[in-house]
Amino acid sequence: KSFLNHTAYLPCYFPNSPKTDIKDLRVFWQKGDVEVVHEVSYGQEKDDNLSPRYINRTKMDMEKWTLQLLNAGVMDEGQYACIVQHRDKGSAQVIHTSECFLHIIANYSQPEIAWLHTGDLKPKEHLSLSCSSSGGYPEPKQMTWLISDENKTQRLLRPMDVSQDAGTKLYNVTSKLNITLPTNIPTNISCFLHLGEQLGNLVSVPLGV
């Protein structure tokens, strides 16, 4: 996993690296089946075969056998393979292959609740709210509304409108809530953005009604 615009570290897990002279090896990384990301050919870094979008964006740490991918973006997410070839009597034989999957994470903004109507509300009228969060990745799981008073707490699941920016590939999400205005009891309304087990939840500042 790597945060958006940070350096991603992709391990090669080459077990024989201490015993093998780098000058006898050709090491290259590729994304999917077609894009060459980085190449070290018999001790020399080469960029002849690299996909244009990876030129000047990679560094190979030959001691740790880890590729550094600079300024990682959503378009870099995917499967990577590290392939090691050994030169033996003129021909190169593959002696090691490993794969890893790069996941990109971009932090969503704190969810924010907004009123969708103007003017004063009277008891038993409908309360209309929206909750929005923006600029995140990957796509969130769901958004939940929490309505709490001194007696009980309700969880309400409402449809989530999700849009993706065509350029950055980041997501913006909005959910709307329509409920009858509570009467005579102070009520707090919050919304939770669920990002999945590993990324946790984001919660809005409670709205007091």
Side-chain angles (χ1 to χ4, degrees), residues 112-128:
E112 192 170 337
I113 296 177
W115 298 85
L116 294 180
H117 46 67
T118 56
D120 293 334
L121 284 169
K122 296 173 183 171
K124 298 196 176 177
E125 283 190 348
H126 271 83
L127 180 65
S128 187

Side-chain angles (χ1 to χ4, degrees), residues 113-118 121 124-131 143-147 154-160 174-182 187 189-191 207 209:
I113 296 177
W115 298 85
L116 294 180
H117 46 67
T118 56
L121 284 169
K124 298 196 176 177
E125 283 190 348
H126 271 83
L127 180 65
S128 187
L129 304 171
S130 73
C131 182
M143 196 175 260
T144 305
W145 292 86
L146 211 61
I147 303 167
Q154 280 182 285
R155 283 183 179 273
L156 299 177
L157 196 58
R158 292 292 183 265
M160 186 172 63
T174 301
S175 178
K176 293 180 180 176
L177 178 71
N178 285 289
I179 57 167
T180 304
L181 190 67
T187 300
I189 300 175
S190 305
C191 67
L207 177 71
V209 180

Side-chain angles (χ1 to χ4, degrees), residues 126-200:
H126 271 83
L127 180 65
S128 187
L129 304 171
S130 73
C131 182
S132 301
S133 177
S134 62
Y137 192 89
E139 186 174 354
K141 302 298 182 186
Q142 64 186 36
M143 196 175 260
T144 305
W145 292 86
L146 211 61
I147 303 167
S148 304
D149 60 36
E150 58 191 29
N151 297 321
K152 65 183 184 299
T153 296
Q154 280 182 285
R155 283 183 179 273
L156 299 177
L157 196 58
R158 292 292 183 265
M160 186 172 63
D161 180 35
V162 180
S163 63
Q164 188 176 27
D165 185 280
T168 64
K169 304 298 181 186
L170 302 181
Y171 289 101
N172 301 317
V173 295
T174 301
S175 178
K176 293 180 180 176
L177 178 71
N178 285 289
I179 57 167
T180 304
L181 190 67
T183 55
N184 303 326
I185 302 176
T187 300
N188 279 328
I189 300 175
S190 305
C191 67
F192 281 80
L193 183 63
H194 302 274
L195 301 173
E197 286 181 17
Q198 296 183 330
L199 299 177

